[in-house]
Amino acid sequence: SMEGCQARDIEARVSAVVDSFSAALGWGESSAPRALTLTTMAAQALCELAPVLPPSLAPTIFSMATLLSDQAWREAVLPYMSRHSREFWSVRFGKLEANALTPVTNLIDRMRSSPTVAALLGSPRSTYDVRRAMDRGQVVLWSLGGTGAWARLVSCFVTHDLFRAAMSRRTLAPRRRRPFYAWIDELQRISGTG
């Protein structure tokens, strides 16, 4: 959810999404440059769209597949994107081969097939806010029972969100920061090194 976020928050959100895909699928600049570019530009466009739409209609991670494959939808939302994003989608995107989309859309479609993941990531509004949990001294427990690329991707989303939230606390005076501890089992699976 981008609810309550501002334009300055977009870069961190986009990075978290792209880094999550990259770590979960082992993508690198030399092994999957088109997939990284498509994921980056899709995440950027969706983060730009979210603030201009009512929160209940904001795009979700599943909107990425719609943006990539539905030309009419893409053209309808182009006016609400930044100049840079509009240029990519209206000029360069059409020059890509159709098979360039499948590394991104296949995984999104597989995630959507899980009712639990679809419920978690398919809502435009979220009550999950790890930063708020940190500030309030709450406990957050995560356990993913699945294996495979989509489970790694969801684990990466959660972990990168945790890192993003922790880094956002750097503006607080140290005495105002409540302790928050994270234990991450199998970190190599979500760091892209294992």
Side-chain angles (χ1 to χ4, degrees):
S1 171
M2 288 291 292
E3 196 167 359
C5 294
Q6 299 177 12
R8 69 175 181 259
D9 301 316
I10 291 175
E11 183 179 2
R13 293 289 174 132
V14 170
S15 291
V17 169
V18 175
D19 291 348
S20 294
F21 270 88
S22 179
L25 296 170
W27 290 347
E29 290 297 333
S30 60
S31 64
R34 289 187 308 182
L36 285 171
T37 299
L38 286 172
T39 304
T40 301
M41 295 309 298
Q44 176 79 27
L46 296 178
C47 286
E48 291 172 358
L49 289 174
V52 300
L53 295 171
S56 62
L57 298 177
T60 70
I61 192 73
F62 299 117
S63 303
M64 203 177 267
T66 305
L67 179 66
L68 291 168
S69 58
D70 186 333
Q71 182 176 349
W73 191 85
R74 191 171 47 251
E75 288 174 359
V77 298
L78 269 176
Y80 304 100
M81 295 181 199
S82 68
R83 185 179 58 81
H84 172 71
S85 292
R86 279 193 315 271
E87 182 181 299
F88 174 81
W89 294 106
S90 61
V91 178
R92 291 190 300 282
F93 178 73
K95 296 178 182 176
L96 294 172
E97 299 147 12
N99 66 354
L101 311 179
T102 55
V104 181
T105 59
N106 282 351
L107 184 56
I108 292 170
D109 290 337
R110 289 193 344 242
M111 282 192 319
R112 190 179 305 193
S113 70
S114 165
T116 306
V117 174
L120 175 70
L121 300 177
S123 175
R125 300 184 90 175
S126 175
T127 58
Y128 173 76
D129 185 340
V130 73
R131 168 63 194 266
R132 185 175 58 226
M134 288 176 175
D135 292 345
R136 293 180 179 176
Q138 296 174 320
V139 174
V140 177
L141 297 174
W142 270 98
S143 176
L144 293 170
T147 58
W150 70 263
R152 280 193 309 275
L153 181 58
V154 173
S155 294
C156 288
F157 284 152
V158 171
T159 305
H160 282 88
D161 189 50
L162 171 70
F163 293 154
R164 182 194 55 76
M167 292 301 294
S168 72
R169 290 172 24 129
R170 70 180 176 257
T171 59
L172 288 177
R175 68 184 177 285
R176 293 189 55 220
R177 289 184 213 142
R178 291 185 79 159
F180 190 86
Y181 302 96
W183 287 268
I184 302 171
D185 192 21
E186 301 287 335
L187 183 60
Q188 74 277 5
R189 288 182 65 205
I190 55 176
S191 68
T193 61

